Amino acid sequence: MENQMIFAWAIIFCLAVAPVHGQYYSRTVKAGPRVEKITRLHFFFHDIRSGENATAIPIASPNTTQDTPTYGTLYAMDDPLTMESELTSTLIGNSQGLYLDLSRERTQFTAIFYADFAFTTGRFNGSSFSLFSRFSAEDDPSTIREMAIVGGRGAFRMATGFALLRPVWSNTIGDAIVEFNVTLYHY
């Protein structure tokens, strides 16, 4: 009986000690003052959905018969970013991500857009920012659209901000060239 009592107390002791020593280590330290930087970028984005060298391809579509075949289609993209509106101009990076076509209207493109804009040359080589927002193509092609910047890495660590987009050219297939004016707030 005495051995059982010792065993019971040993189990109780082990159970009481385990939570104290089983916790992960954490320590909160007060961050020093940080200097916020503002960076403004200007470049052109080339979304090509046609031809042999397409940079955006459908990866999933709804399994329904409908009048608007692109509605509900999910696209993967790896679009080039250039200094000028011509695709042959200086390549400065690429935009990789996904967008989901949300518009039932064939004449209007609306999408939820997630992309990482990575720079491969110049001052910001190895840095990127992330954009996650809704994009709507209005009837007036000259309308400037605004999209949200939600993060970044490298020189753009902890970035927030916005991108102003102006369509430069598009066709009925879905190919487009878009001018980006980006304002980033980062540390």
Side-chain angles (χ1 to χ4, degrees):
M1 179 76 169
E2 188 176 317
N3 286 340
Q4 290 177 343
M5 199 61 154
I6 292 173
F7 180 71
W9 279 108
I11 295 293
I12 291 170
F13 177 76
C14 288
L15 292 175
V17 171
V20 172
H21 294 290
Q23 294 179 358
Y24 63 90
Y25 174 77
S26 68
R27 185 173 134 215
T28 302
V29 294
K30 186 174 180 178
R34 295 184 287 180
V35 177
E36 186 175 60
K37 301 173 198 165
I38 298 175
T39 301
R40 290 187 173 84
L41 303 170
H42 178 259
F43 55 85
F44 292 85
F45 167 91
H46 301 266
D47 193 45
I48 305 164
R49 298 192 330 192
S50 65
E52 290 182 17
N53 295 322
T55 61
I57 58 168
I59 58 173
S61 294
N63 192 14
T64 61
T65 304
Q66 53 186 316
D67 293 337
T68 54
T70 61
Y71 173 66
T73 302
L74 180 65
Y75 292 86
M77 64 177 193
D78 186 0
D79 293 333
L81 306 176
T82 61
M83 294 290 289
E84 303 296 330
S85 62
E86 295 79 28
L87 186 56
T88 56
S89 70
T90 305
L91 182 70
I92 60 168
N94 64 328
S95 173
Q96 296 177 323
L98 302 168
Y99 58 90
L100 177 64
D101 190 340
L102 301 173
S103 180
R104 291 184 185 192
E105 298 292 326
R106 283 190 98 133
T107 59
Q108 184 177 1
F109 176 74
T110 302
I112 293 294
F113 192 87
Y114 168 75
D116 186 69
F117 288 74
F119 296 92
T120 56
T121 62
R123 179 176 165 202
F124 300 117
N125 185 15
S127 299
S128 70
F129 66 87
S130 296
L131 186 145
F132 184 66
S133 200
R134 178 180 181 270
F135 177 86
S136 180
E138 311 293 331
D139 292 331
D140 181 6
S142 65
T143 302
I144 294 177
R145 285 110 181 144
E146 183 175 331
M147 297 180 80
I149 307 298
V150 296
R153 63 182 176 85
F156 305 132
R157 184 175 290 129
M158 295 180 64
T160 60
F162 58 93
L164 299 177
L165 285 66
R166 185 181 65 86
V168 174
W169 175 85
S170 65
N171 62 19
T172 57
I173 299 169
D175 299 343
I177 300 171
V178 180
E179 180 181 15
F180 272 71
N181 284 295
V182 178
T183 300
L184 297 169
Y185 302 94
H186 57 97
Y187 297 100

